[in-house]
């Protein structure tokens, strides 16, 4: 079996099957690729299929669409389906016939041979591919760099996109927190552990308890060299309301983390380490792991072991604040709630009961009131001020204020004002993996 696909950095040929005939199949596929003849009729069929796919993608479920737009805020270079569509409409069969040989004329080849193969057989496969394609070597300065955007500390950016599906009643929010360079091993360990610890509580709070929507996801977000933490929700409720509920959950979990015992924290850490160190289930899962390290240009084949030995997060934990127990006066609360005519009035009555009757501290009262509003479906939007559009003459550094969100209307303008990170760095010298005969 074989697959021939493309990705943002090149072409991928995947061949699998019995090892005794694997090199024969690979040679036939590579030779067929090298001698590709673009048929006009076949080209029209494939191009029409791709055009339909790109157009139909605009009517997919919101949670399937949002990722294609959020990627442009993470990497230095990105292309959306909206940008691909007009370009594809102008591509001809002759364009492809002229362009394709240029790809193979000068390129960099990487091969992963995994399975029931001896070292000599793997080297034979590599030599086979090189002899079949016969490319010129790609110069070091021609290899594309991978750089991520560096979000300024304390920034609060919002980008809004109107989905085209006329019958779609759902909204979708992808709430991202930037953490830094993906190959900062200590930061990555903390991020993975945080994602592990919040996975179940996030789903339980936002999906099960608050019932915001059927699609609720949380976890680390890794893209080339960019890394962050992401919470995604698809819901019939508005995105600004969902943003408020996400931030409420993060505040709740922060308190839980502060109150967490050292034993519970160590249990979370051990569970994540065991998960990272678990043996690969089958050959396919091993292929994915090894190829991802090659594709990323980091060659971090021992990354899981390195994560397991990184410093504990317990060093950064702060002392927990005392938990206040509130004893409610049923008669007083019922008196205030009786006669109200709206959900908003109920929340006002609860606020008065907490501050006037129970004399609860303002911080605790705000937390209890926020949970009550969530139950009533009238929680705050999470925006302390209306988002302001980013002007062409405004420097991003001048609008870094978490309490004042900035609305990104022109993505290109916004990216032009952002700093970029360093490129991918080798986690280990490749010479360490060379087997000396």
């Amino acid at each position: 079996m074989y697959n021939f696909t493309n990705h943002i950095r090149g072409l991928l040929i995947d061949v699998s099957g019995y090892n005794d005939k694997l090199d024969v199949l690979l040679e036939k596929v590579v030779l067929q690729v090298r001698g590709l003849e673009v048929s006009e009729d076949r080209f029209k069929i494939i191009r029409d299929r791709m055009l339909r796919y790109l157009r139909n993608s605009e009517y997919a479920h919101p949670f399937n669409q949002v990722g294609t737009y959020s990627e442009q805020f993470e990497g230095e270079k990105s292309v959306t389906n909206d940008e691909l569509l007009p370009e594809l409409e102008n591509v001809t069969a002759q364009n492809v016939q002229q362009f394709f040989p240029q790809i193979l004329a000068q390129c960099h080849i990487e091969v992963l041979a995994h399975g029931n193969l001896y070292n000599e057989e793997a080297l034979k496969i590599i030599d086979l591919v090189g002899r079949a394609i016969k490319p010129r070597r790609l110069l070091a300065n021609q290899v594309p760099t991978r750089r991520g955007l560096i979000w300024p500390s304390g920034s609060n950016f919002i980008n809004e996109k109107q989905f085209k599906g006329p019958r779609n009643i759902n909204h979708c929010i992808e709430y991202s927190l930037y953490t830094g360079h993906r190959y900062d091993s200590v930061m990555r360990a903390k991020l993975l552990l945080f994602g592990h610890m919040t996975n179940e509580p996030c789903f339980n709070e936002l999906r099960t308890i608050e019932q915001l929507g059927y699609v609720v996801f949380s976890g680390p977000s890794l893209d080339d060299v960019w890394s962050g933490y992401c919470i995604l929700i698809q819901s019939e409720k508005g995105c600004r309301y969902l943003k408020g509920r996400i931030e409420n959950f993060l505040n709740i979990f922060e308190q839980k983390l502060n109150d967490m015992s050292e034993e519970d924290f160590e249990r979370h850490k051990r569970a994540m380490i065991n998960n990272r160190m678990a043996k690969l289930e089958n050959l396919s899962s091993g292929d994915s792991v090894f190829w991802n390290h090659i594709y990323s240009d980091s060659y971090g084949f021992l990354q899981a072991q390195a994560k397991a030995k990184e410093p504990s997060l317990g060093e950064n934990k702060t002392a927990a604040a005392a938990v206040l127990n509130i004893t409610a006066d049923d008669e007083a609360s019922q008196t205030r709630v009786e006669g109200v005519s709206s959900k908003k009035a109920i929340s006002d009555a609860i606020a008065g009961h907490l501050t006037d009757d129970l004399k609860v501290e303002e911080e605790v009262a705000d937390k209890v009131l926020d949970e009550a509003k969530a139950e009533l479906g009238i929680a705050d939007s999470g925006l302390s001020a209306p988002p302001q559009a980013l002007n062409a003459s405004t420097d991003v550094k001048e609008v870094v204020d978490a309490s004042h969100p900035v609305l990104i209307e022109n993505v290109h303008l916004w990216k032009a004002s952002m700093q970029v990170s360093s490129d991918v760095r080798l986690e280990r010298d490749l010479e360490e993996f060379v087997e000396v005969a």
Side-chain angles (χ1 to χ4, degrees), residues 373-385:
K373 286 183 176 181
E375 186 67 26
L376 295 170
I378 56 172
D380 298 331
S381 68
L383 298 179
S384 55

Side-chain angles (χ1 to χ4, degrees), residues 64-88:
N64 286 328
Q65 295 188 54
V66 69
T68 62
Y69 295 105
S70 62
E71 288 178 354
Q72 59 188 327
F73 302 102
E74 300 171 357
E76 180 186 18
K77 301 173 183 177
S78 61
V79 181
T80 64
N81 289 344
D82 296 338
E83 296 168 332
L84 285 175
L85 188 57
E87 297 299 325
L88 182 59

Side-chain angles (χ1 to χ4, degrees), residues 171-173 206 212-213 215-217 231-235 242 246:
H171 305 269
C172 187
I173 179 174
L206 302 180
L212 297 180
V215 180
V216 175
F217 165 82
I231 295 180
L232 183 147
I233 303 175
Q234 178 176 295
S235 171
L242 297 176
I246 291 173

Side-chain angles (χ1 to χ4, degrees), residues 133-406:
I133 298 179
K134 300 177 182 178
R136 299 197 315 275
R137 185 175 181 179
L138 201 64
L139 300 178
N141 61 1
Q142 293 177 304
V143 178
T145 57
R146 301 186 182 198
R147 300 181 185 273
L149 298 179
I150 300 176
W151 296 4
S153 178
S155 57
N156 187 354
F157 298 117
I158 295 177
N159 177 252
E160 298 177 335
K161 176 72 176 179
Q162 181 67 42
F163 294 123
K164 293 186 178 181
R167 298 182 180 178
N168 181 31
I169 61 174
N170 286 308
H171 305 269
C172 187
I173 179 174
E174 183 174 314
Y175 185 98
S176 296
L177 300 172
Y178 173 68
T179 56
H181 200 287
R182 176 177 180 174
Y183 295 100
D184 179 343
S185 58
V186 175
M187 181 282 302
R188 188 171 63 234
K190 295 178 181 180
L191 175 61
L192 293 175
L193 180 56
F194 183 74
H196 170 80
M197 296 175 69
T198 58
N199 182 43
E200 188 276 332
C202 180
F203 186 87
N204 182 60
E205 175 67 27
L206 302 180
R207 168 66 183 90
T208 306
I209 298 177
E210 299 191 21
Q211 297 185 0
L212 297 180
Y214 284 105
V215 180
V216 175
F217 165 82
S218 68
S221 176
L222 305 173
D223 179 54
D224 280 343
V225 299
W226 191 96
S227 69
Y229 177 78
C230 166
I231 295 180
L232 183 147
I233 303 175
Q234 178 176 295
S235 171
E236 294 183 10
K237 300 182 183 296
C239 288
R240 296 188 180 181
Y241 172 82
L242 297 176
K243 180 178 184 291
R245 303 320 305 151
I246 291 173
E247 292 179 346
N248 176 68
F249 162 74
L250 292 174
N251 291 331
I252 292 175
F253 187 80
E254 179 185 18
Q255 185 64 42
K256 289 183 178 179
L257 184 60
N258 288 334
D259 296 341
M260 186 177 295
S261 66
E262 197 65 33
E263 292 76 14
D264 288 341
F265 178 77
E266 288 296 325
R267 188 160 51 249
H268 280 292
K269 189 172 69 172
R270 176 53 54 187
M272 193 204 75
I273 291 175
N274 292 338
N275 182 57
R276 300 294 299 178
M277 299 295 290
K279 292 184 178 180
L280 299 174
E281 296 180 357
N282 49 49
L283 199 63
S284 296
S285 60
D287 291 340
S288 299
V289 171
F290 294 140
W291 183 251
N292 285 338
H293 290 311
I294 295 173
Y295 175 75
S296 68
D297 292 337
S298 67
Y299 305 100
F301 301 110
L302 304 179
Q303 192 179 92
Q305 290 88 329
K307 285 189 178 77
K309 300 175 183 177
E310 285 166 3
S312 166
L313 284 178
E315 299 175 356
N316 298 322
K317 291 180 63 181
T318 57
V323 178
L324 297 178
N325 295 320
I326 302 174
T327 303
D329 186 337
D330 292 337
E331 183 177 351
S333 61
Q334 290 177 6
T335 300
R336 285 184 174 274
V337 174
E338 285 179 358
V340 299
S341 57
S342 66
K343 291 183 178 180
K344 178 65 170 60
I346 294 177
S347 67
D348 293 339
I350 294 174
H353 176 62
L354 291 171
T355 56
D356 299 337
D357 299 337
L358 300 180
K359 308 298 182 182
V360 175
E361 292 184 6
E362 182 179 357
E363 182 179 351
V364 179
D366 289 342
K367 181 178 179 180
V368 175
L369 182 61
D370 188 68
E371 293 176 355
K373 286 183 176 181
E375 186 67 26
L376 295 170
I378 56 172
D380 298 331
S381 68
L383 298 179
S384 55
Q388 301 295 322
L390 183 66
N391 297 324
S393 59
T394 305
D395 189 349
V396 169
K397 295 181 180 179
E398 298 177 3
V399 294
V400 174
D401 185 354
S403 62
H404 292 82
V406 176

